[in-house]
Amino acid sequence: MLVMKFGGSSIANAERIRHTAKIVRDRLGRKPVVVLSAMGDTTDSLIEAAEKAISDGPVSVEFSLEKISATHLGALQELGLSTMFTPDLRELLCDLATLLSGISLIKEISPKTRDYLVSFGERLSVRLAARYFRSLGMNAQPVDAWDAGFISDSNFTSAELVPESWQYIPAALLPLLDKGTLPVVTGFIAKDANGAVTTLGRGGSDLTATMIAAACRAEEAQVWKDVDGILTADPRIVADARPVGAVTYDEAAELAFFGAQVLHPRAMHPCGKTGTPVLVKNSYNPEAPGSMIGSSLPADAHHVRAITTRGNITMVDIVSSRMLGQYGFLAEVFSCFAKYRISIDMLATSEVSVSLTVDSTQDIDAAINEIARIASVEVKTNKAIVTIVGLVSHSSAILESAFGVCVRLGIQAQMVSHGASKVNIGFIVDGPEAAPVVRGLHKKFFGGQN
Ligand code: ASP
Ligand code: MG
């Protein structure tokens, strides 16, 4: 058994869906389960539709609906299918119209409603794609994730699956495969114990796929993207970035979290647990080998896997002489961040100070005011994290090279941290310095033009 996940761009229009169908058909012998995102930018369009419904009222609803149904109708038409929406698609669009009208009247949207709203994207795409797959003779069946065992907590917009999903998922999907069915499952969405629709966070379809692969003990999870796998750097920064042949689960999770766009950070956990390989492939270039994510690396692997960067970072410097030889100070600081639900990314500490970073989208003012009562606090904005993901067994050499690059560029690393997962070395620079540092590091570790 195989799990094949296709993101929005792999099913953005009729031509891409045709292409995706061919990729699936070529692998039917391996008993695939297909997982799909919403078509193209449908998720964004749905969110935009809600924002317009709130700001412009009911008049905007028809326009928004037209845009979303045109994407799906246009694809049906071009795929040579009847442009009549089948009852299931029509029903979904009716429900969506009702929902948007409701939002336009009450002029607000809760996280719960927002999850229900964006779920229409995946629910539409699997029905449309399954219908096309069937027209090609494949025994495809659209499956909503909650009918495939995806039950989550009620943490709307970023829900976690309940542990029982590990049993529910194979119990739901394996019998379908045994019957010779090709399940086409909605990525990204689930339901909580009360039956309310939840989502696993933006980009969450990757997690749907890896969860199915791990829970069903599939031979492999394939994540089909629009790039040739995991790259050594962001190609928008480093023109010479190239695909990495193999990475470990831990490395892939670090890469995803620290700026590589290629996989959802949480998606590595299930397959990491079971040792199920995850292959990242390019649907625009299926011949390319892609990147294999697994438990170990080939013996000849390069000691640096990739260099990433993430901007919009705020650095918080907390200094207190009270910390000297004391216990409990860090606990006080962290419980304050926890109280305001602020997530900390990177951390470095000395005997009398602690520096940490948070994403600048988080509102930290209240927490900072509270900490300022027990220590002196300085907040520095517009920083970036540059992360080198690689073998910590070579960390001294990696650090030497990295700092050599910084020295040559005249750039000061303002904070340095080795990730707890032991695969990353991260440092903070001023926002505008990140791109030149990444280019310099890439050239140092991988050679080439940049
Ligand atoms: N459609 C959702 C999103 O755009 C989920 C996904 O693509 O994985 O975030
Ligand atoms: Mg998407």
Side-chain angles (χ1 to χ4, degrees):
M1 169 200 173
L2 189 66
V3 179
M4 305 177 73
K5 182 258 168 173
F6 295 89
S9 75
S10 300
I11 52 164
N13 52 42
E15 192 220 323
R16 300 301 310 153
I17 294 174
R18 232 182 250 127
H19 196 72
T20 293
K22 180 173 175 346
I23 294 173
V24 173
R25 189 145 66 165
D26 288 348
R27 288 157 185 82
L28 277 184
R30 292 169 73 186
K31 290 198 162 198
V33 170
V34 172
V35 174
L36 299 181
S37 295
M39 282 179 73
D41 297 329
T42 303
T43 308
D44 291 326
S45 303
L46 286 164
I47 293 169
E48 206 182 293
E51 283 164 359
K52 282 221 172 75
I54 292 168
S55 61
D56 303 354
V59 285
S60 71
V61 171
E62 205 171 317
F63 177 79
S64 300
L65 274 172
E66 219 151 83
K67 184 175 165 202
I68 288 157
S69 44
T71 306
H72 294 83
L73 205 57
L76 280 177
Q77 194 164 18
E78 269 186 65
L79 290 170
L81 300 169
S82 151
T83 52
M84 288 285 287
F85 278 129
T86 44
D88 53 352
L89 287 174
R90 208 166 349 160
E91 197 180 316
L92 278 176
L93 286 164
C94 278
D95 287 352
L96 176 60
T98 311
L99 175 64
L100 285 172
S101 306
I103 295 169
S104 75
L105 294 175
I106 45 178
K107 294 199 179 299
E108 65 177 13
I109 179 167
S110 66
K112 183 175 175 181
T113 308
R114 189 185 148 105
D115 276 359
Y116 177 55
L117 170 72
V118 293
S119 76
F120 283 90
E122 272 70 8
R123 290 194 284 155
L124 287 166
S125 73
V126 296
R127 284 165 174 78
L128 190 150
R131 185 166 158 205
Y132 177 60
F133 292 176
R134 276 201 303 277
S135 79
L136 301 177
M138 294 187 254
N139 191 18
Q141 181 185 318
V143 181
D144 290 322
W146 43 83
D147 294 328
F150 279 78
I151 305 301
S152 73
D153 61 20
S154 305
N155 189 10
F156 296 102
T157 77
S158 176
E160 298 264 0
L161 296 173
V162 298
E164 292 79 9
S165 292
W166 283 86
Q167 284 91 50
Y168 297 157
I169 292 169
L173 289 176
L174 294 181
L176 288 179
L177 289 179
D178 287 343
K179 277 196 301 191
T181 306
L182 170 67
V184 183
V185 183
T186 55
F188 180 48
I189 57 181
K191 269 187 183 174
D192 71 6
N194 301 318
V197 176
T198 60
T199 65
L200 309 177
R202 289 304 305 266
S205 308
D206 290 343
L207 177 60
T208 309
T210 53
M211 187 62 200
I212 293 175
C216 296
R217 303 294 193 272
E219 56 172 296
E220 187 174 279
Q222 299 183 343
V223 179
W224 291 81
K225 299 267 168 182
D226 52 8
V227 286
D228 277 344
I230 296 178
L231 300 180
T232 48
D234 183 337
R236 288 165 302 185
I237 300 177
V238 181
D240 202 28
R242 59 206 76 157
V244 185
V247 301
T248 65
Y249 300 112
D250 288 345
E251 289 170 346
E254 293 286 348
L255 282 169
F257 187 71
F258 287 108
Q261 295 293 321
V262 87
L263 274 180
H264 189 282
R266 270 158 60 196
M268 282 312 108
H269 293 164
C271 286
K273 231 173 170 170
T274 53
T276 310
V278 181
L279 182 60
V280 183
K281 293 276 285 177
N282 187 354
S283 71
Y284 288 78
N285 183 17
E287 306 314 321
S291 299
M292 181 61 89
I293 308 171
S295 319
S296 59
L297 295 169
D300 60 351
H302 192 290
H303 57 268
V304 172
R305 212 70 53 245
I307 298 150
T308 66
T309 182
R310 211 170 104 188
N312 287 326
I313 298 294
T314 297
M315 183 161 80
V316 183
D317 262 334
I318 301 164
V319 182
S320 168
S321 51
R322 251 188 65 196
M323 203 172 153
L324 197 66
Q326 283 298 319
Y327 54 83
F329 178 76
L330 285 179
E332 262 180 78
V333 169
F334 290 135
S335 63
C336 187
F337 280 100
K339 179 170 150 195
Y340 293 100
R341 303 174 71 104
I342 296 163
S343 144
I344 297 169
D345 294 333
M346 240 174 85
L347 183 74
T349 163
S350 80
E351 196 51 47
V352 291
S353 74
V354 52
S355 300
L356 49 87
T357 70
V358 298
D359 202 281
S360 67
T361 50
Q362 303 187 95
D363 184 359
I364 58 169
D365 292 353
I368 296 299
N369 288 340
E370 221 167 281
I371 295 169
R373 286 191 220 133
I374 54 168
S376 69
V377 187
E378 212 180 319
V379 175
K380 300 169 181 167
T381 55
N382 196 20
K383 304 289 175 191
I385 301 182
V386 173
T387 308
I388 304 168
V389 175
L391 298 177
V392 161
S393 52
H394 290 66
S395 62
S396 298
I398 295 173
L399 279 168
E400 183 189 29
S401 304
F403 289 135
V405 168
C406 289
V407 169
R408 252 199 325 284
L409 293 170
I411 287 171
Q412 300 307 323
Q414 298 167 29
M415 173 179 160
V416 182
S417 150
H418 263 216
S421 58
K422 303 268 183 279
V423 296
N424 87 46
I425 292 168
F427 50 96
I428 299 292
V429 295
D430 282 339
E433 293 170 348
V437 169
V438 170
R439 279 193 283 270
L441 291 171
H442 196 271
K443 180 159 188 213
K444 177 76 196 168
F445 291 119
F446 299 104
Q449 306 301 312
N450 294 280

